[in-house]
Amino acid sequence: MSAMSPAHAIPLESFNLSILPKATHNIVWSPDNELAIGCDDCVLVYVPDFSLRPSAPANGARTRYDGPRQYDEAALRFPVAPLKSPELNRHLFEAMGHDFAGYTFFTGAGGAVITGHGSTLNHTVALAWSPCGLGRMNRAVLAVLTAAGIVTVYCQGASEPVASTGRNARTMRPWIAAWHVGGGFLVPAAQERAVLDKKECITALAWARDTRTGASILAYSNSDREVVILLVRATHGANAEPGHPGTWKVCEVARFVAEGPHPTPTDLTDPDYVYSSSSFGLSWSPWLRRGSSQTSILSYVAHNYIGFRQITIDEAGSEDELPSVHVSRADASGVCLYLSTDAFVVWEDQTWKMPGSNVCRGVIASPTKIQAFELPFDHTSPVAKHTTDQCKTTYPAEEDMVHMENPITGLIIHPPSNLQNTATPTYTLVRLSATHDNPAWHQTNLIRPPIVEDDLAATGLDWATEITQIIEHQLPRALAHRQGPTGEKGRGEASFESDSDEVDSEMESDSDFDVDGEGEGEDDDTKEDFPGIRGVDTEDQVHLHRVRIWGLTASPGGSTSAVLVSLHSNLELERDTFAGLKCRVLFGAHPRADYGYGYGGGDSDGGGTRDALSTEAKAWEWMYGGGPPVPGFSEPAPVQGNGDDRVALRDHFRTIAQRQLCVFCEMPLVPWGNTSCCRNGHVFENCANTSVPIIAPNVSRTCGVCGLKCLKSDELLNMAPQLRDIVEQSISAELCGGCSGKFTN
């Protein structure tokens, strides 16, 4: 294998969708770069393709490429509206050894007027990918919150045995609901806690970052202003029946009231009443390890208050036990400020060592304005009970009224740089509405590196440039209105494709228009009376479109981002229909002064490291974000010494590999790179773990990143039963032996 260039990666280009978004923050990337998009009653999931083009353009010359694009088509589109059966959670109680607690009839969730007595249209409200490890093949699972107040966790079930295929043939089917909570759906509680039989309406959810303990933590808040902590673990058998969701252990380990210091107004007729709930009001800081335990800070949104509560987990005594979780009795700290609907907090994926304490930083979006903060792990400063009049947060400040009608719908914090120390986290944000007279729809404090001619990533943010071109496009008023209902594009048929070329050609042809067949002999006055020809007032220009930005998300490594936008006309009245809006997903790379991902700096301690990224995430950063090469994928894997486990494993199977014969002509097989061939030209792929030729179907798995195949453990044991201990210890049923990527089958 020779070293490759990022120019070999298939293009990452924007693509169109016809969907009807109902909520903001509805586009999220998984730790393995699966892209999920929420719309009215369904969710779309796109799977990354790590295929590389065979050759790159010579000398940087641009050539036409007609091959596949990244995210060419949705791998999955599944509905979230159908009611779920309470029996779905029975296996959770059986796994914990508890009696099943369920109900037989859905009567609503919470105490609100609508959801408390039935169900809403049940559209998608929020999406959240879990850390890697809960899904099959060590992948992430997707939690979906709907307007009915129910969280459903979806994962890929066991599939039928199929022949090993290419890496770009990965499928997510069967995609099934593993369990759900909220709306009367109950989950087991820890031994010392009792199951609360209540129909709670869930309003927000958030997964904690990877705990590295084999278990994950899910937090959700309900309409009773409670925050609930769930401990989640899943295992998946290699020989499970098709459609099996895996073995799940889910239990409620803590619950606390998140009211904040301010009295919450309940009288709707109160002039100062403000609806302060947020569907995105929970967020987790990175974990700080202290010996055998680790601590994270959970932020929550209350009435004009952001609370910070410390959560600590201790390592389990054995693999079968779940780690213990401890929640502080009171908030470690809090911030009082005026909050509007759907306020949220974003944390920097890094902890820092300061004199006398470890500190983490973040940004609060109110969501009309932002406020940076830093919080120590080792000191507490709880906020005493008081009214909003005392802290002057009853009303927004006058300077904050400017963006009151244009809230922030997406904010990402960039990885800290080793070369630039900043007092606050570097961020990029977008607001709901982007128009020609609203320059604040996109804001960032990221310091741009010096532009290098050969560095395409340093030339700008592609999605911001594309949105700017759309909203700045203008035409003379007379010609602009001709593109309306009487033109080729009817009402509501605005397109992301620019019509400027068509209009220019139309104006050129109109300039020579012959009204009555008289040609040049016709009077100029007649032509001036003809609208859209010579009588056009080119000074009177109008902007054609505005853009609504629904969400912003960053890739796991932080070097690329994506936004979901919809296009709207400035000239006509529009209405939303179930046919969907003209939406588009745009991508861009964020320029960086270094490609070390900023992790592990001199004054940093823990938090995210590049080693914590999955192989899929590292490959994505190399392909589109200017990241370093990935061994086994974009460059040859390093040659290890005799002490390397992989070399020792291949030494054990060398004799078996040499005894393999061609199944077609029974001639000996000779190794040739990652393949083996016989004298008659029959070629077989080698196992990436053992270098044994794969001469039969359905005995191997294919890596979704490098495309190499690995023999299944059962097949290796059939070949060499005496090496059982070595195979069970050294061979992974989920990760490739060549690049450590995840298998597709």
Side-chain angles (χ1 to χ4, degrees):
M1 177 183 180
S2 59
M4 305 287 285
S5 165
H8 290 82
I10 61 177
L12 177 63
E13 300 176 351
S14 55
F15 59 89
N16 297 326
L17 291 172
S18 291
I19 60 175
L20 187 61
K22 286 294 185 181
T24 57
H25 304 264
N26 57 352
I27 178 170
V28 287
W29 248 319
S30 78
D32 293 331
N33 285 100
E34 291 119 343
L35 185 66
I37 300 173
C39 45
D40 48 359
D41 60 349
C42 64
V43 176
L44 290 84
V45 181
Y46 292 82
V47 175
D49 186 354
F50 297 100
S51 301
L52 299 177
R53 289 186 281 180
S55 60
N59 299 327
R62 293 183 177 272
T63 59
R64 182 178 178 82
Y65 173 71
D66 296 326
R69 266 68 175 173
Q70 191 63 261
Y71 299 138
D72 250 352
E73 59 181 354
L76 195 67
R77 180 168 184 160
F78 64 96
V80 298
L83 292 178
K84 313 298 190 304
S85 169
E87 290 292 322
L88 184 62
N89 283 6
R90 181 178 291 275
H91 67 100
L92 302 182
F93 289 85
E94 294 175 350
M96 297 294 295
H98 297 178
D99 294 333
F100 176 60
Y103 68 92
T104 58
F105 184 72
F106 179 80
T107 56
V113 176
I114 298 178
T115 58
H117 298 84
S119 179
T120 65
L121 291 178
N122 210 9
H123 64 268
T124 305
V125 173
L127 308 173
W129 287 99
S130 74
C132 289
L134 291 182
R136 294 191 68 83
M137 295 301 170
N138 204 41
R139 299 187 185 275
V141 299
L142 181 64
V144 180
L145 172 62
T146 61
I150 300 173
V151 171
T152 305
V153 174
Y154 295 89
C155 69
Q156 183 178 1
S159 59
E160 295 278 359
V162 295
S164 183
T165 55
R167 57 185 165 189
N168 58 348
R170 178 193 163 198
T171 177
M172 301 192 74
R173 299 185 182 277
W175 187 253
I176 58 178
W179 54 276
H180 42 207
V181 64
F185 296 108
L186 305 177
V187 297
Q191 295 293 344
E192 66 276 7
R193 299 177 57 84
V195 176
L196 296 179
D197 187 7
K198 59 186 300 184
K199 301 182 301 179
E200 56 185 353
C201 179
I202 297 178
T203 57
L205 80 159
W207 288 98
R209 301 168 195 257
D210 194 356
T211 63
R212 305 298 181 89
T213 62
S216 298
I217 298 181
L218 174 65
Y220 69 81
S221 60
N222 58 32
S223 56
D224 295 331
R225 295 187 293 278
E226 295 177 326
V227 174
V228 183
I229 308 296
L230 301 182
L231 198 58
V232 185
R233 174 182 285 176
T235 56
H236 301 269
N239 300 317
E241 296 180 358
H244 194 275
T247 302
W248 290 80
K249 286 187 176 181
V250 181
C251 66
E252 178 184 324
V253 294
R255 181 185 293 256
F256 64 91
V257 178
E259 288 184 326
H262 304 145
T264 303
T266 57
D267 184 6
L268 300 181
T269 62
D270 187 344
D272 294 335
Y273 176 84
V274 176
Y275 185 75
S276 58
S277 179
S278 173
S279 300
F280 321 101
L282 297 178
S283 183
W284 292 81
S285 78
W287 292 97
L288 174 66
R289 179 170 291 277
R290 295 167 170 169
S292 61
S293 65
Q294 46 188 337
T295 302
S296 178
I297 299 176
L298 175 64
S299 64
Y300 66 88
V301 174
H303 176 55
N304 290 350
Y305 173 79
I306 302 293
F308 302 102
R309 188 70 63 99
Q310 288 196 1
I311 314 292
T312 302
I313 62 173
D314 297 326
E315 292 183 358
S318 63
E319 294 183 358
D320 296 333
E321 297 179 4
L322 292 173
S324 58
V325 180
H326 308 281
V327 179
S328 299
R329 293 180 177 271
D331 293 348
S333 184
V335 177
C336 296
L337 73 165
Y338 178 83
L339 299 178
S340 184
T341 307
D342 285 342
F344 62 96
V345 177
V346 181
W347 295 85
E348 186 179 42
D349 191 14
Q350 186 72 56
T351 58
W352 303 88
K353 272 189 174 181
M354 298 294 182
S357 179
N358 294 280
V359 173
C360 56
R361 307 186 302 182
V363 175
I364 300 171
S366 67
T368 57
K369 73 167 190 175
I370 60 171
Q371 178 172 322
F373 67 90
E374 65 176 36
L375 197 64
F377 280 91
D378 306 303
H379 305 289
T380 61
S381 54
V383 180
K385 292 285 186 178
H386 62 276
T387 64
T388 55
D389 292 334
Q390 292 176 282
C391 59
K392 299 181 180 180
T393 60
T394 305
Y395 307 104
E398 292 186 6
E399 59 269 18
D400 300 336
M401 297 293 291
V402 178
H403 302 296
M404 187 60 66
E405 297 181 355
N406 198 15
I408 299 170
T409 56
L411 188 150
I412 59 176
I413 293 183
H414 304 284
S417 172
N418 287 328
L419 304 181
Q420 299 169 346
N421 293 325
T422 57
T424 60
T426 55
Y427 63 86
T428 295
L429 66 83
V430 292
R431 296 182 181 272
L432 180 62
S433 180
T435 63
H436 68 279
D437 57 355
N438 172 30
W441 64 266
H442 167 233
Q443 296 173 330
T444 182
N445 66 347
L446 183 65
I447 301 176
R448 296 175 58 89
I451 296 180
V452 182
E453 293 183 359
D454 296 335
D455 187 3
L456 297 179
T459 58
L461 193 55
D462 292 344
W463 57 258
T465 302
E466 187 167 349
I467 293 176
T468 301
Q469 292 174 347
I470 293 174
I471 62 179
E472 293 296 338
H473 183 213
Q474 53 184 341
L475 287 176
R477 185 179 299 274
L479 292 183
H481 283 282
R482 290 176 59 183
Q483 305 298 309
T486 59
E488 295 182 1
K489 294 182 176 63
R491 184 178 301 275
E493 292 295 326
S495 171
F496 277 96
E497 304 299 332
S498 174
D499 299 326
S500 57
D501 294 339
E502 299 177 6
V503 174
D504 291 342
S505 61
E506 185 179 86
M507 292 181 67
E508 292 176 2
S509 61
D510 286 343
S511 63
D512 298 328
F513 188 78
D514 191 346
V515 179
D516 293 324
E518 299 295 334
E520 297 179 357
E522 185 67 28
D523 294 338
D524 291 340
D525 294 337
T526 305
K527 294 182 180 181
E528 290 177 358
D529 294 337
F530 207 91
I533 306 175
R534 295 201 178 204
V536 172
D537 182 6
T538 57
E539 297 294 331
D540 185 13
Q541 300 272 334
V542 294
H543 292 83
L544 302 183
H545 302 118
R546 67 185 188 277
V547 170
R548 176 159 291 183
I549 307 175
W550 296 94
L552 168 67
T553 184
S555 60
S559 64
T560 57
S561 59
V563 293
L564 174 64
V565 302
S566 59
L567 184 68
H568 303 268
S569 173
N570 285 336
L571 307 178
E572 310 168 22
L573 295 176
E574 296 178 323
R575 64 177 183 178
D576 297 345
T577 67
F578 285 104
L581 299 174
K582 296 296 182 181
C583 298
R584 191 172 180 88
V585 178
L586 311 177
F587 300 94
H590 295 269
R592 291 184 57 85
D594 67 325
Y595 292 122
Y597 295 92
Y599 297 123
D603 55 351
S604 65
D605 180 50
T609 63
R610 185 174 185 274
D611 293 337
L613 296 178
S614 65
T615 301
E616 286 78 2
K618 295 176 184 177
W620 183 277
E621 301 304 303
W622 172 81
M623 293 168 69
Y624 306 113
V630 181
F633 170 62
S634 56
E635 69 175 7
V639 179
Q640 303 293 338
N642 294 330
D644 181 57
D645 294 338
R646 187 178 303 173
V647 174
L649 184 64
R650 293 184 177 182
D651 289 341
H652 285 294
F653 281 91
R654 180 177 291 115
T655 304
I656 298 175
Q658 294 173 351
R659 292 202 305 259
Q660 300 297 308
L661 300 178
C662 177
V663 295
F664 301 109
C665 60
E666 297 186 353
M667 297 291 291
L669 295 176
V670 179
W672 184 32
N674 293 326
T675 61
S676 295
C677 61
C678 66
R679 293 182 179 179
N680 294 326
H682 300 134
V683 181
F684 303 88
E685 294 188 68
N686 292 341
C687 171
N689 282 316
T690 62
S691 295
V692 175
I694 303 173
I695 58 177
N698 296 335
V699 297
S700 64
R701 295 185 174 94
T702 305
C703 176
V705 180
C706 65
L708 297 180
K709 292 181 171 59
C710 296
L711 285 168
K712 298 179 181 179
S713 299
D714 295 342
E715 184 67 18
L716 293 174
L717 292 177
N718 292 334
M719 296 179 180
Q722 70 278 9
L723 300 178
R724 174 177 294 274
D725 293 341
I726 298 176
V727 170
E728 292 178 350
Q729 295 176 4
S730 305
I731 301 296
S732 173
E734 301 169 335
L735 303 180
C736 169
C739 68
S740 298
K742 299 178 177 65
F743 294 129
T744 61
N745 59 320

